[in-house]
Amino acid sequence: MSPVAMHMSDGLLNAPVSVVLLVLAAAGVGFALVKARADLDDRTAPMAGLVATFIFAVQMINFPILPGASGHLLGGALAAILVGPYVGALCVTIVLVVQALLFADGGLTALGANITNMALIGTVAGFLVAVALRKVAAKGKGGLAAVAFISAFVNTLLAATGFIVEYAIGGAGGVEIGKVALLMWGLHALIGIGEGLITAVTVTSVASIRPDLVYLLKGNTKPLEVRP
């Protein structure tokens, strides 16, 4: 088991748990696909493509967190803040599927677990935190950056928690769950800092140019503005 990768590889989970998670992931992605139709139009669809491309590119770049250990962007909170939770979940799912099929990054039998953790748990967690702090985000670039950072940090830890729970239920990697939990939470707390910084910089950069394209800054009745 890689000590830093959120991507599960083949053989980490037993077959029954892998199948259950694949079904769960398919159901979650199917639900997101249905709900995403309301959020996609001629303006937001290109933005979703850009978000997916950006997450794919940045996930290929590792940043150091400890000697001999590195991490990469998960992207759930970033996608949710920019294009919404449903479209965001689809963006991350597409990235994970392409990585698994073309780059062998994450096993095919673990694809359901990886989608569940990063595309579903991570995206939903990041979005819920961002919505809870929405008034702070609307106060200015500093507030938006803080909200993006916190959302991404929580997204990373909860996605790691999903990994831990799944391993506790059906782990087949031969490592004690206590060690797995300590390693995953400890390292992903550090990875979450990098994730938060990347998310904060990206979101505020987009908001500085086109705040109307930032999903979080759209109110139910009145668009929110990022004041200088």
Side-chain angles (χ1 to χ4, degrees):
M1 180 177 63
S2 169
V4 294
M6 176 64 65
H7 288 77
M8 284 190 177
S9 59
D10 292 324
L12 274 182
L13 297 176
N14 61 36
V17 172
S18 296
V19 171
V20 169
L21 289 171
L22 184 60
V23 173
L24 179 62
V29 172
F31 178 76
L33 185 61
V34 172
K35 300 292 289 185
R37 294 176 182 176
D39 294 331
L40 287 174
D41 54 31
D42 293 339
R43 184 180 61 176
T44 58
M47 182 65 176
L50 290 173
V51 168
T53 302
F54 178 79
I55 292 174
F56 178 83
V58 177
Q59 278 200 5
M60 303 297 287
I61 303 173
N62 288 345
F63 50 84
I65 55 174
L66 288 173
S70 61
H72 64 71
L73 182 80
L74 275 65
L78 172 64
I81 290 172
L82 290 178
V83 294
Y86 305 118
V87 178
L90 296 179
C91 289
V92 179
T93 297
I94 291 171
V95 170
L96 294 175
V97 170
V98 171
Q99 287 178 337
L101 294 178
L102 300 183
F103 298 92
D105 192 357
L108 290 177
T109 61
L111 187 58
N114 290 327
I115 290 174
T116 298
N117 294 336
M118 289 183 276
L120 300 181
I121 295 176
T123 302
V124 170
F127 184 71
L128 290 178
V129 171
V131 169
L133 299 174
R134 199 173 188 181
K135 291 183 179 180
V136 176
K139 290 182 178 180
K141 293 180 181 179
L144 180 60
V147 170
F149 180 92
I150 296 170
S151 299
F153 185 82
V154 173
N155 147 47
T156 304
L157 285 185
L158 288 187
T161 301
F163 182 113
I164 294 166
V165 171
E166 292 153 8
Y167 190 86
I169 296 172
V175 182
E176 294 180 1
I177 184 59
K179 293 181 179 179
V180 172
L182 182 62
L183 193 62
M184 289 297 292
W185 276 325
L187 287 177
H188 281 84
L190 297 176
I191 291 173
I193 295 174
E195 174 106 6
L197 292 173
I198 293 172
T199 301
V201 170
T202 304
V203 169
T204 54
S205 297
V206 173
S208 296
I209 302 171
R210 291 291 303 273
D212 59 304
L213 293 181
V214 179
Y215 188 94
L216 182 64
L217 300 181
K218 299 176 183 179
N220 293 328
T221 58
K222 180 181 178 180
L224 301 174
E225 298 180 355
V226 178
R227 298 189 294 272

